[in-house]
């Protein structure tokens, strides 16, 4: 679920959005070493809340434009506990955990608009930016299911990149008949991680 609000006085853009969600995952860990070949399974509840603030300014050059943008994001995530089954002694009791991630992403968007021979308008754009995260360290406490309750748990820590190159490509095609096509690609590239996302949207306005 989510909601957004924007204000567009002249060349300026100010916008905000909030969203949240929850779900349940089926988990599976395949364990294999020196003849040991087992799998541990479980279920985990997840929930999140996200807020975004955006500011931008349009610099119009007629058939093309520049738009400096900056996004401020805050994301809260909750990971439920997991009691694994199976694993032949290697199943884990994983404790619940919460995490808040803050980030700032300055971007520059370059785009334009052209008219095709059939009267359709084409609007391509590219965004280039840098995403900077305040804290990307995730820690999880766990212990083996077969361990007595008095035995201390162990902690697994994962550190992700704090700086990522952010790239977005988009293309809108708008026809006189009200048929609109939007193609989007978003990518983030860091020292140790990459993410890629794409979408295709087709709508018909009567």
């Amino acid at each position: 679920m989510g909601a957004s609000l924007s204000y567009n006085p002249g060349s300026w853009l100010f916008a905000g959005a909030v969203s949240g969600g929850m779900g349940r995952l089926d988990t599976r860990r395949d364990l294999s070493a020196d003849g040991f070949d087992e799998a541990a399974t479980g279920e985990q509840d997840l929930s999140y809340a996200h807020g975004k603030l955006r500011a931008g300014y349009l610099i119009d050059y007629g058939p093309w434009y520049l738009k400096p943008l900056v996004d401020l994001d805050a994301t809260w995530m909750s990971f439920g506990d997991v009691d694994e089954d199976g694993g032949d002694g290697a199943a884990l009791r994983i404790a619940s955990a919460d995490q808040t991630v803050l980030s700032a992403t300055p971007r520059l968007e370059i785009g334009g608009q052209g008219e095709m021979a059939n009267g359709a308008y084409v609007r391509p754009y590219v965004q280039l930016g840098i995403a900077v995260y305040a804290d990307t360290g995730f820690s999880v406490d766990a212990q083996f299911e077969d361990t007595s309750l008095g035995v201390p748990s162990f902690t697994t820590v994962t550190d992700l990149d704090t700086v990522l190159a952010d790239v977005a490509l988009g293309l809108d095609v708008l026809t006189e008949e009200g048929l609109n096509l939007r193609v989007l690609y978003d990518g983030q590239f860091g020292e140790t991680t990459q993410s890629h996302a794409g979408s295709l949207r087709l709508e018909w306005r009567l």
Side-chain angles (χ1 to χ4, degrees), residues 24-105:
R24 172 167 291 184
L25 295 180
D26 293 325
T27 66
R28 176 187 173 97
R29 289 191 306 120
D30 292 312
L31 310 165
S32 180
D34 296 330
F36 182 83
D37 190 7
E38 295 289 338
T41 61
E43 291 184 342
Q44 186 177 41
D45 292 326
L46 303 176
S47 57
Y48 80 93
H50 175 251
K52 177 189 287 289
L53 295 175
R54 168 174 289 184
Y57 186 78
L58 177 65
I59 305 173
D60 192 352
Y61 290 100
W64 64 283
Y65 67 87
L66 295 176
K67 185 188 291 184
L69 298 159
V70 61
D71 287 343
L72 301 177
D73 291 86
T75 304
W76 171 82
M77 295 170 287
S78 177
F79 306 90
D81 58 2
V82 181
D83 286 325
E84 291 184 326
D85 295 317
D88 194 17
L92 297 176
R93 287 194 301 266
I94 303 172
S96 61
D98 295 336
Q99 180 77 20
T100 300
V101 178
L102 305 176
S103 67
T105 309

Side-chain angles (χ1 to χ4, degrees), residues 5 18-19 79 88 94 100 107 124 152 175:
L5 182 67
V18 292
S19 62
F79 306 90
D88 194 17
I94 303 172
T100 300
R107 293 187 178 93
T175 69

